[in-house]
Structures are given as structure tokens and as C-alpha cells.
Amino acid sequence: MAEPRHRGGAAALDLVTEAVEAVRGRRLRSALTLLGVAFGILALVATVGLTGSAAAQVSARFDALKATRISVEGFSGAAGAPIDTATGLRGPVIGPDALERARRLNGVVAAGTVALAGDPLPRAGRPGDRVPSAAVETQVMAADPDALRALRIRPVSGRLYDPVHQDLRHRVLLLGDVAARNLGLNPADHSIADGRTVIHLAGRPYLLLGIVTTADFDSQAQLSAIVPEWVARDPTSKISFQEPKVVVQTRPGAARQVGTEAKVALDPAQPDQLVAQVPPDPERLRAGVETDTRTLFLVMAAVSLLISAIGIGNTTLVAVLERRHEIGLRRAIGASRRSILVQFLLESGVLGLLGGVAGTIGGLDLTIAISLARGWTAAISPWLLVVGPLLGLTVGLVAGVYPAAKAARMEPVAALAT
């Protein structure tokens, strides 16, 4: 016959009270077990909170660096183009009309031609350098003024060349900041690009107009000496250039459409002979990065919770073994197996719940602290406030099933005899 005190609401309240007292009675062991749950919930809450807070930042970074530049290749005839007797230059492989059609496409910000020097790379140096090794092999990029804009090239010191330098065939030059350091120049020294510094490139003098850099990670501009496009068509430049290509800077989201239309605009007769290098879709890349990052940390949180569950189960099992006499005595005076089972489930559930509450608070604090330190706006889902403690309670209850069942199966005589 069951004890009257274990009936109805009063009985349930008594069981909860006894579970809390049992946890309080073993404070050190309970605290250590609770910490295990707390760390697991903390990792889970912090992961969800930080990935949510970082999502906007990741989106902003991807939008800022969103793939907005394409290149069109496949033009031929650079070496075999006829030389204009009036100018002494080879005819352009990509005509100005074709470039103008490309610039008029919807979504195009800038478009221009670029040609890189082939092997062997020319040597660049300053006239005052008396040591032969001071002249170093340097990549050379021939680009028209619109290509500078398409490549997002900006001056660190000095200035960029303009259409006048291109049209009047001035021998001017820009140096990428890395290339400038290779030549012993300090990009931050504004007195260098004062219009009086001369750089010898493949034995020909060029006036240094500026030292430049770019935000494009895949651009070679920072490593290059950049000259006007006409130099690539000058047979006397002593520099062998590769086949030119067209670089196009587009507005965000227009790269794929422009990549298709640019081929027709540049070569209406044979667009299929051209190849448009269109960057991958940044939306998919961003989603993949966010998903992979979140999955990694959630797996780590799940492992931590599993270890916590094992700890709770172990703690509860030890408590069952230590309290055999208590269990036997309660069974002898009429306590049912069910009440014993509920008693120990409540004890493990209380540990899990307290650990869930502590972990949720710690995870929220950690999310806010890291967000503030990084200058982010903390984005915390309200459901985390409920899910964290409930998950801790669930872990505690699941972990306590075996020890509670073992306690409930104990026979009074056997428990009192040991």
C-alpha cells in the first residue's frame, strides 16, 4: 500500500522537495555534474546566438566583396595586327566601338582592356641604381583608364593616368604597392610620386605617376608595373604581352547577366568564340559558409551534452548505490516502485534543469560580450531562453532513466541486507 503522502498534488510536491534536498545534500558532486550540463548548453546557446549575430556581418562582408567583376577572353590577333604607319602602333585587337557597346550594357559600371606581360618578365629599376641586381623582374600590366576603374585600382600616393596619357602616348607608369616595395620604394612616401621619379622598364624610361593598390584579392595589380594600353601595341616597348582581355565591373547581382551579354556586345559576329569568366554565386557561397560553421559548432555542443548526460547518469547511479538502505526502507514501509523511479528521475532532472538555466545564461552573456567586442549587434532568438533550460531538463531526465529504473527494481530485503 502506497504512502498517503505520495498521493495527489501534495505527493508530487513532496517528491520535488526531496529531489531538491538530495541535490543540495551532495553539493560538490552536484555542482560538478551541473557544470557539465551548463557547458554543453552554453556551447549550444552561444553557437546559435553567435551564428545569428554573425550572419548579418557575414552577409555584409559578402555583399561588400560580392563578385562583381568578370573577364572576357578569347580574343586573337594581337601579334598579327597590322602596324599603323602614322602612329607606329599595332591596331587594337578589341576596338573602341566594341568596348563602348559593353559599357552601355545594363549593370555595367566600367569596362576596359588589360594585357599582361608574358615570359620573360621585363626588369624594372630606378636610374640611380648602380647594382645590376637592383633591377628586378616585374609583372607588367597594360591597361586603359577604364580598366583601372574596373579593377578598382586606387592610388596610395600620386595619381592614376587618364585618357590624355593614353591618347597622347605618354610613357607613364603606375606601381602596385607590393611591386614598389620590391624596387625599394616606400608606398607611403608621397614625395616619390611627385612627377619626377623615373622607372626603367625593359630598358625604356617611364615617369612614375603613382603607387596604387586594389581591394580585389585575385588582381595582379599590386604586384605589377601598370602602363597605358598603347604600350602593349608598341613594337618598340621591348615587352612581349599576352592576348588582351576585357575586364568588366558590374553592379551587385548583375555579373551573370552581363557575362552572357558582354560576349555578344564585344563580338556580335562570333560571340561563342569568347569565354566569359563569371565568378561563383556569392549567395550560395555565403549560405554554405554559414551552414558549415553552424554545423561544426552544433556537433561540438552535442558531444558536450552527451558527455554531460553520461556524467549525470553516473552521478545518479552512484547516488542510488549509496542510498540502498534508504531505498529499501522506503520500499519496506510501502513506497511503490513508481515513486522511487520518479524520485530519482526528478533528481537527475533537477540537475539537468539547473545546468540548462546556468548554461543558457552563460551562453547569452558570452554572445553579448563577443558581439560587443566585435562591434556587432547581438541577435538572440527569444526561443533560446526556453529551449536551453528545457534541453537541460531533457538531458537530465534521459540520463537518469537507467539509475532510476535500477533503484525502482531493488527489493526491500535485498536493499536492507547489503
Side-chain angles (χ1 to χ4, degrees):
M1 182 175 179
E3 294 173 312
R5 58 176 295 191
H6 288 292
R7 295 176 181 173
L13 181 61
D14 287 344
L15 285 175
V16 173
T17 303
E18 290 176 8
V20 173
E21 290 300 323
V23 171
R24 291 181 56 189
R26 298 167 178 81
R27 296 184 180 181
L28 179 59
R29 183 188 303 168
S30 298
L32 293 177
T33 306
L34 184 150
L35 282 177
V37 181
F39 279 122
I41 300 298
L42 183 149
L44 177 67
V45 172
T47 297
V48 176
L50 286 175
T51 51
S53 301
Q57 304 299 319
V58 172
S59 298
R61 294 289 180 89
F62 271 99
D63 288 339
L65 300 174
K66 184 175 286 187
T68 56
R69 197 185 77 222
I70 65 174
S71 63
V72 183
E73 303 174 359
F75 301 95
S76 60
I83 296 177
D84 187 336
T85 55
T87 63
L89 303 179
R90 298 187 186 277
V93 177
I94 307 165
D97 292 340
L99 287 172
E100 187 58 33
R101 289 194 298 268
R103 293 177 187 128
R104 288 200 300 265
L105 293 176
N106 186 32
V108 172
V109 176
T113 58
V114 172
L116 296 177
D119 294 328
L121 291 179
R123 301 182 73 86
R126 292 177 293 175
D129 295 331
R130 300 301 180 186
V131 182
S133 62
V136 297
E137 289 187 349
T138 304
Q139 177 61 268
V140 178
M141 176 187 295
D144 61 30
D146 282 296
L148 300 181
R149 185 182 175 196
L151 293 170
R152 295 191 291 184
I153 293 175
R154 60 178 180 83
V156 176
S157 60
R159 66 187 184 93
L160 306 179
Y161 53 76
D162 53 42
V164 174
H165 297 100
Q166 168 72 18
D167 296 339
L168 299 182
R169 302 192 299 280
H170 291 166
R171 287 194 178 276
V172 294
L173 172 142
L174 305 172
L175 281 178
D177 51 357
V178 177
R181 292 189 184 94
N182 292 339
L183 294 176
L185 302 176
N186 182 6
D189 187 356
H190 293 272
S191 65
I192 293 176
D194 57 1
R196 292 178 292 180
T197 302
V198 175
I199 301 293
H200 278 192
L201 188 61
R204 302 296 296 271
Y206 291 80
L207 185 66
L208 178 63
L209 286 186
I211 297 175
V212 299
T213 188
T214 178
D216 289 337
F217 298 127
D218 59 344
S219 174
Q220 298 190 50
Q222 294 173 279
L223 305 171
S224 303
I226 307 171
V227 296
E229 183 272 339
W230 70 266
V231 176
R233 297 185 286 114
D234 182 9
T236 67
S237 67
K238 300 180 181 180
I239 304 174
S240 174
F241 284 91
Q242 302 174 17
E243 182 181 279
K245 63 181 179 180
V246 174
V247 292
V248 182
Q249 183 71 27
T250 71
R251 294 186 179 90
R256 289 190 172 275
Q257 183 66 27
V258 171
T260 302
E261 297 175 350
K263 296 192 295 182
V264 179
L266 292 169
D267 191 351
Q270 296 177 311
D272 293 338
Q273 290 189 354
L274 302 181
V275 177
Q277 303 290 341
V278 181
D281 185 1
E283 297 294 336
R284 294 181 181 178
L285 181 60
R286 175 176 61 197
V289 170
E290 292 177 3
T291 301
D292 291 345
T293 303
R294 181 171 297 187
T295 301
L296 173 63
F297 284 102
L298 287 179
V299 168
M300 294 173 60
V303 172
S304 181
L305 285 176
L306 177 61
I307 296 174
S308 303
I310 294 174
I312 290 179
N314 182 65
T315 299
T316 308
L317 182 59
V318 171
V320 168
L321 297 177
E322 289 179 345
R323 296 159 62 187
R324 289 190 300 271
H325 291 84
E326 175 190 335
I327 297 170
L329 181 59
R330 292 186 57 188
R331 288 297 311 281
I333 62 176
S336 65
R337 294 180 184 272
R338 181 180 178 182
S339 65
I340 299 298
L341 177 70
V342 172
Q343 169 71 29
F344 284 95
L345 278 178
L346 283 175
E347 290 184 17
S348 62
V350 167
L351 284 175
L353 178 62
L354 293 177
V357 171
T360 300
I361 296 173
L364 294 178
D365 289 343
L366 181 62
T367 299
I368 294 172
I370 293 178
S371 297
L372 291 176
R374 301 288 296 177
W376 300 347
T377 299
I380 299 173
S381 300
W383 56 266
L384 285 175
L385 300 175
V386 178
V387 170
L390 286 181
L391 184 58
L393 175 62
T394 302
V395 170
L397 291 175
V398 171
V401 168
Y402 174 73
K406 185 177 181 63
R409 289 196 300 266
M410 286 186 178
E411 295 296 336
V413 177
L416 292 171
T418 55

